[in-house]
Amino acid sequence: MKSSTVFLGVGVLAVIGAVVGFLPDAELDHGKEVYSMQKCALCHSVAGIGGNKSPLDGVGSKLKSEEIKKWIRTPKAMKADSTMKAYPNLPERDLDDLTAYLMTLK
Ligand code: HEC
């Protein structure tokens, strides 16, 4: 009886988690997480917080999402003498969510 209640509880949480995972907010939260885990802020600032090499404020109006992805994967393909670190092995989902987050910086 008690363990089945626990099972039910875990099941319900798993379903909620799965549903929330498809909502855009979760995507953006994950994108922000990727941004901090990958230490983009060592060089980039958003709203004045972070490195001073290149602010990303407004990048969502300036660039298309394909361009942002290309910057992250292969910066030298965007600018031959780019000093940005490349992230060729970032998982596709991390790249998508990170890009979705950057696209909100209008
Ligand atoms: C070692 C420093 C460094 C790191 C780390 C870094 N960048 Fe950059 N990034 C740059 C610099 C510098 C530029 C400006 C272009 C150039 O000269 O390379 C740039 C350019 C960009 C651009 C194009 C901006 C524009 O206005 O056109 C985007 C988008 C970008 N970076 C995203 C990211 C993201 C997302 C991360 C983390 C996954 C990241 N960068 C990590 C240094 C860095």
Side-chain angles (χ1 to χ4, degrees), residues 1 11 31 33 35 41 48 51-52 55 62-63 69 71 83 86 96 106:
M1 173 65 177
E33 232 171 84
Y35 182 85
N52 61 5
K62 183 181 157 192
L63 299 176
K69 287 183 182 179
W71 265 111
T83 53
D96 282 349
K106 301 288 186 190

Side-chain angles (χ1 to χ4, degrees), residues 35 38-40 43-44 53-54 56 59 62-63 68 71-72 79 82-85 87 98 102:
Y35 182 85
Q38 299 301 329
K39 306 205 163 44
C40 310
C43 302
H44 292 286
K53 285 200 208 298
S54 154
L56 289 176
V59 78
K62 183 181 157 192
L63 299 176
I68 290 181
W71 265 111
I72 297 166
K79 186 179 164 212
S82 175
T83 53
M84 176 165 154
K85 176 174 153 52
Y87 299 83
L98 174 57
L102 293 175

Side-chain angles (χ1 to χ4, degrees), residues 45-94:
S45 61
V46 173
I49 300 167
N52 61 5
K53 285 200 208 298
S54 154
L56 289 176
D57 305 290
V59 78
S61 312
K62 183 181 157 192
L63 299 176
K64 299 197 187 79
S65 56
E66 293 72 41
E67 293 169 321
I68 290 181
K69 287 183 182 179
K70 214 167 165 188
W71 265 111
I72 297 166
R73 283 272 192 249
T74 51
K76 285 200 167 38
M78 298 302 281
K79 186 179 164 212
D81 64 347
S82 175
T83 53
M84 176 165 154
K85 176 174 153 52
Y87 299 83
N89 300 320
L90 193 68
E92 203 62 37
R93 189 174 160 232
D94 288 3

